[in-house]
Amino acid sequence: MRQFTIPLEPKPQSRPRFNGITKRAYELPAMTEYKKQVGYFAKAHFKREPLENIIGIEMAFYRSAPKSLLNVKKTRLQIEEESLRVNTKPDLDNYAKAILDALNGIVFKDDNQVAYLKLEKRYSLNPRIELKILSEHEI
């Protein structure tokens, strides 16, 4: 098992945009930049050839809490303990899709190798993404 943290605010995969003239799909520049940043952190922690076997990934997304939640004492304590789960948009699978796309060619050859995926999103005062890469035998 390999694990590492990406110290960035989680962002969901954006919807594709279409050029009105050429009808070609493209990605927003901010999303492209986010994926590059995720890739830089992954390369710093994963200094080998991309895996070629079946793998599993566990991802925990810790996002910033809205100020309205931080003003309630009970809720603020849960956020400080990172025990308050997020049940609002964006959807959890959109967060995962952005990370899987960013890890393509760095951690694994292609995200179709991922046979096990565990996801969660929580509020935190320290936004980040925690990843665990599991071998086929660890799944």
Side-chain angles (χ1 to χ4, degrees):
M1 173 180 60
R2 293 174 188 86
Q3 60 186 52
F4 59 96
T5 300
I6 299 170
L8 298 172
E9 178 79 38
K11 289 187 179 184
Q13 176 64 47
S14 61
R15 300 277 181 228
R17 306 288 189 224
F18 293 91
N19 182 306
I21 298 168
T22 65
K23 306 296 185 207
R24 291 184 145 196
Y26 66 95
E27 186 170 70
L28 293 174
M31 179 53 53
T32 303
E33 181 59 31
Y34 174 73
K35 288 180 183 178
K36 282 183 190 175
Q37 289 178 334
V38 169
Y40 294 141
F41 285 107
K43 285 177 188 174
H45 292 283
F46 201 85
K47 298 177 182 180
R48 17 181 3 201
E49 289 297 312
L51 299 170
E52 295 185 20
N53 299 327
I54 292 172
I55 62 168
I57 301 180
E58 295 180 0
M59 294 186 223
F61 300 95
Y62 294 89
R63 30 177 293 207
S64 298
K67 290 182 182 177
S68 60
L69 291 179
L70 293 171
N71 292 333
V72 179
K73 185 177 180 180
K74 178 183 173 185
T75 310
R76 182 174 180 89
L77 288 173
Q78 288 177 304
I79 292 167
E80 289 172 356
E81 295 169 350
E82 297 182 337
S83 63
L84 185 60
R85 294 185 190 274
V86 179
N87 65 349
T88 61
K89 290 190 176 204
D91 296 347
L92 186 56
D93 60 322
N94 290 331
Y95 283 124
K97 181 65 178 152
I99 299 300
L100 291 173
D101 286 352
L103 300 181
N104 263 337
I106 299 169
V107 174
F108 41 77
K109 292 262 184 196
D110 191 82
D111 57 3
N112 66 7
Q113 295 167 237
V114 179
Y116 168 82
L117 193 58
K118 179 182 175 188
L119 307 171
E120 67 176 318
K121 60 181 178 174
R122 296 173 183 258
Y123 287 119
S124 175
L125 298 177
N126 177 26
R128 66 194 183 281
I129 303 140
E130 293 183 356
L131 295 162
K132 290 182 186 175
I133 311 299
L134 308 168
S135 70
E136 184 175 6
H137 306 292
E138 297 170 312
I139 298 174

